[in-house]
């Protein structure tokens, strides 16, 4: 059965930041620091999903999806990131999972979508190797409670983005600006992934994935300098997080004057490279790279993709990039590539209800139509794709952009929390009903 779903993440939708024993996460700290997040927005309330989850499950059922990807808030389950477990936090996910199962919706749970317990950040966060072991302990606790009903597990969401924005550039929590010195964060997250896979297997989890943010990388010109910079970027963004998991080795970073990862210890790669049941791929847009101009201490520069329509975020809309990406992954990894699940794809638009109350987001309909066609094309070219999840079910807290970027199939009026399904919600429902898999239909 092909999985059609939508995706969300705990900090972006739940709210209830101090309720029922939840501890603080790095995002609670970060959003309180002046100037970090647009307009000083926080996830304290967000979509109030912690209280409105039942209404949100009804929206999923109305959409006709057969799967829902959500993430579990680590500090809700383990307020200090280690030690005592907060049963009330687990109870919340227990209720959610039961409600999804009752609707015939396959729960897909992500264990870590960036909301690290602040208490662990105080002990070094992902710069500390110990955090990998703490992830494994927390995973064991969650899996013991939920693995009997959750068949699909994702250990980490986009370790590249968490490393690059959270530790390299400082635009996401915890807000460090270490540039290339952030590399140990890659290794410790991947080690945490491997240890979490072990914990999930012990608990009898059916399918285990890692979700990476992947992008096709295009050199800005035919010059050898731009080609070399593009290769360096591809290595750091894509290969650094796929190679160790799928091939059991890190790419050679020395070729690009990047330091090797000195945090690696004997035996780590065996833990990281355990077989997976799938690779989660999040795709938003391709990246065009030029040789560095020296503005930032990085061996490349983002040259910007031009000549395509853009989203409210300014991200170029390139549906064929999804086909190119998936076919490229298959070419690069061959039989080492497990089945692929597109665990996120979507766009932000300036959506507001019209005078008739309708949110007519035709640009999102076109976005989804184009990307689902591209997915079908990749499958026709031999890529084994098992699922497609739209980011996102609801307009939500878009990290450093606060509530200003709307990605939802459902509009949320944040002051009243009123949910209004957009035109894209109705379009996707019709699409799913008439085409059980992306390649069916015209
Ligand atoms: C993340 C989401 C985010 C989305 C849009 C992905 O990188 O996993 O949390 O909201 O992109 O920026």
């Amino acid at each position: 059965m092909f999985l059609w779903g939508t995706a969300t993440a705990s900090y972006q939708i739940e709210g209830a930041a101090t309720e029922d024993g939840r501890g603080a996460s790095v995002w609670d700290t970060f959003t309180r620091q002046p100037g970090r997040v647009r307009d000083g927005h926080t996830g304290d309330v967000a979509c109030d999903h912690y209280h409105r989850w039942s209404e949100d499950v009804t929206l999923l059922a109305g959409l006709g999806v057969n799967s829902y990807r959500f993430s579990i808030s680590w500090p809700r389950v383990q307020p200090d990131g280690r030690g005592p477990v907060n049963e009330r936090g687990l109870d919340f996910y227990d209720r959610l999972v039961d409600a999804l199962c009752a609707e015939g919706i396959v729960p897909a749970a992500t264990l870590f979508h960036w909301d690290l317990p602040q208490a662990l950040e105080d002990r070094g966060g992902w710069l500390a190797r110990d955090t990998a072991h703490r992830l494994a302990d927390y995973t064991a606790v969650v899996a013991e409670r939920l693995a009997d009903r959750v068949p699909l597990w994702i250990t980490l969401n986009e370790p590249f983005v968490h490393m690059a924005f959270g530790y390299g550039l400082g635009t996401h929590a915890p807000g460090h600006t270490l540039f290339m010195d952030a590399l140990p964060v890659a290794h410790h997250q991947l080690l945490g992934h491997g240890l979490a896979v072990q914990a999930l297997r012990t608990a009898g989890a059916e399918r285990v994935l890692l979700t990476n943010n992947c992008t096709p990388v295009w050199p800005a010109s035919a010059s050898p300098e731009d080609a070399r910079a593009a290769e360096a970027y591809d290595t750091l963004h894509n290969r650094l997080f796929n190679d160790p998991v799928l091939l059991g080795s890190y790419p050679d970073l020395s070729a690009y004057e990047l330091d090797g990862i000195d945090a690696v210890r004997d035996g780590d790669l065996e833990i990281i490279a355990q077989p997976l049941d799938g690779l989660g791929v999040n795709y938003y847009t391709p990246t065009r790279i030029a040789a560095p101009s020296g503005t930032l201490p990085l061996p490349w520069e983002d040259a910007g993709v031009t000549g395509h329509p853009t989203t409210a975020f300014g991200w170029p809309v390139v549906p064929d990039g999804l086909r190119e990406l998936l076919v490229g992954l298959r070419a690069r990894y061959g039989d080492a590539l497990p089945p692929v699940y597109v665990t996120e794809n979507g766009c932000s638009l300036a959506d507001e209800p019209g005078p008739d109350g309708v949110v007519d987001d035709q640009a999102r309909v076109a976005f989804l139509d184009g990307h689902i066609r591209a997915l079908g094309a990749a499958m026709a070219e031999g890529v084994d794709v098992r699922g497609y999840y739209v980011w996102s079910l609801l307009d939500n807290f878009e990290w450093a952009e606060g509530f200003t970027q709307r990605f939802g199939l459902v509009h949320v009026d944040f002051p009243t929390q009123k949910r209004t399904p957009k035109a894209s919600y109705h379009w996707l429902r019709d699409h799913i009903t008439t085409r059980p898999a992306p390649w069916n239909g015209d």
Side-chain angles (χ1 to χ4, degrees):
M1 179 175 70
F2 188 85
L3 296 178
W4 289 104
T6 67
T8 61
S10 46
Y11 189 76
Q12 295 181 271
I13 65 166
E14 285 181 1
T18 54
E19 227 164 293
D20 289 343
R22 177 185 176 281
S25 78
V26 290
W27 274 95
D28 296 293
T29 310
F30 189 75
T31 51
R32 275 166 180 71
Q33 294 166 358
R36 293 293 207 177
V37 174
R38 189 176 292 257
D39 301 333
H41 291 165
T42 76
D44 286 2
V45 177
C47 305
D48 197 27
H49 171 76
Y50 191 75
H51 300 113
R52 293 168 197 262
W53 59 273
S54 173
E55 181 184 352
D56 294 338
V57 171
T58 304
L59 284 166
L60 286 164
L63 179 58
V65 287
N66 57 13
S67 188
Y68 172 55
R69 174 179 175 229
F70 60 98
S71 85
I72 292 168
S73 158
W74 186 346
R76 216 180 263 300
V77 172
Q78 246 183 337
D80 288 333
R82 55 192 189 125
V85 171
N86 176 33
E87 293 297 332
R88 285 177 299 171
L90 277 174
D91 292 345
F92 170 69
Y93 299 105
D94 215 58
R95 290 193 291 274
L96 177 66
V97 165
D98 279 346
L100 292 168
C101 293
E103 294 290 353
I105 299 170
V106 173
T110 305
L111 286 153
F112 179 67
H113 199 127
W114 309 346
D115 44 357
L116 190 77
Q118 179 61 39
L120 290 186
E121 169 61 17
D122 295 341
R123 300 167 64 91
W126 286 109
L127 289 163
R129 186 179 169 93
D130 184 60
T131 300
H133 294 280
R134 302 290 66 82
L135 180 81
D137 291 352
Y138 148 72
T139 299
V141 167
V142 175
E144 195 188 318
R145 179 71 94 88
L146 301 178
D148 58 336
R149 283 152 296 149
V150 175
L152 214 162
W153 293 87
I154 294 159
T155 54
L156 308 173
N157 178 72
E158 301 187 350
F160 167 77
V161 176
H162 191 51
M163 174 191 79
F165 292 176
Y167 291 80
L169 302 171
T171 50
H172 280 185
H176 300 300
T177 44
L178 297 170
F179 297 99
M180 287 328 225
D181 291 340
L183 278 177
V185 171
H187 183 64
H188 294 148
Q189 285 187 94
L190 289 171
L191 180 63
H193 155 78
L195 295 167
V197 174
Q198 291 177 341
L200 286 162
R201 298 285 183 219
T202 305
E206 196 182 306
R207 271 183 274 178
V208 181
L209 277 59
L210 165 72
T211 279
N212 275 332
N213 176 293
C214 299
T215 179
V217 180
W218 301 339
S221 78
S223 79
E225 292 77 18
D226 286 353
R228 188 179 162 76
E231 225 178 270
Y233 189 78
D234 179 39
T235 301
L236 207 86
H237 188 130
N238 296 313
R239 291 189 52 201
L240 184 62
F241 295 88
N242 286 327
D243 282 18
V245 171
L246 303 179
L247 305 177
S249 57
Y250 277 110
D252 181 7
L253 300 180
S254 61
Y256 312 108
E257 288 132 45
L258 303 173
D259 286 336
I261 299 190
D262 51 18
V264 184
R265 295 196 193 155
D266 283 352
D268 284 0
L269 279 156
E270 285 72 37
I271 295 170
I272 292 170
Q274 288 168 85
L276 291 179
D277 306 296
L279 180 69
V281 171
N282 291 354
Y283 169 73
Y284 286 91
T285 194
T287 311
R288 192 163 154 263
I289 292 292
S293 65
T295 330
L296 291 176
L298 297 172
W300 60 72
E301 192 162 286
D302 192 333
V305 172
T306 52
H308 295 268
T310 52
T311 70
F313 233 135
W315 296 352
V317 178
V318 188
D320 190 58
L322 178 57
R323 187 202 57 79
E324 180 185 333
L325 176 68
L326 298 179
V327 169
L329 283 169
R330 171 78 198 160
R332 179 172 279 172
Y333 296 106
D335 292 342
L337 183 71
V340 169
Y341 293 74
V342 176
T343 40
E344 280 180 37
N345 176 233
C347 63
S348 65
L349 296 172
D351 299 316
E352 283 308 329
D356 52 0
V358 172
V359 185
D360 196 20
D361 59 338
Q362 291 305 323
R364 182 170 289 103
V365 169
F367 182 99
L368 296 176
D369 185 54
H371 285 78
I372 292 170
R373 281 172 197 276
L375 189 66
M379 293 167 85
E381 287 186 47
V383 186
D384 182 2
V385 186
R386 304 279 174 96
Y388 175 82
Y389 294 77
V390 176
W391 184 270
S392 180
L393 174 65
L394 306 166
D395 292 340
N396 60 45
F397 176 81
E398 178 50 35
W399 307 118
E401 299 299 317
F403 296 100
T404 62
Q405 297 292 336
R406 295 180 176 273
F407 276 89
L409 296 168
V410 175
H411 179 273
V412 178
D413 178 58
F414 292 103
T416 62
Q417 291 295 338
K418 183 174 185 301
R419 273 93 160 124
T420 307
K422 304 178 189 175
S424 57
Y425 173 98
H426 301 294
W427 178 87
L428 187 65
R429 185 197 52 213
D430 293 347
H431 191 91
I432 293 171
T433 344
T434 52
R435 295 178 182 84
W439 66 93
N440 294 154
D442 60 11

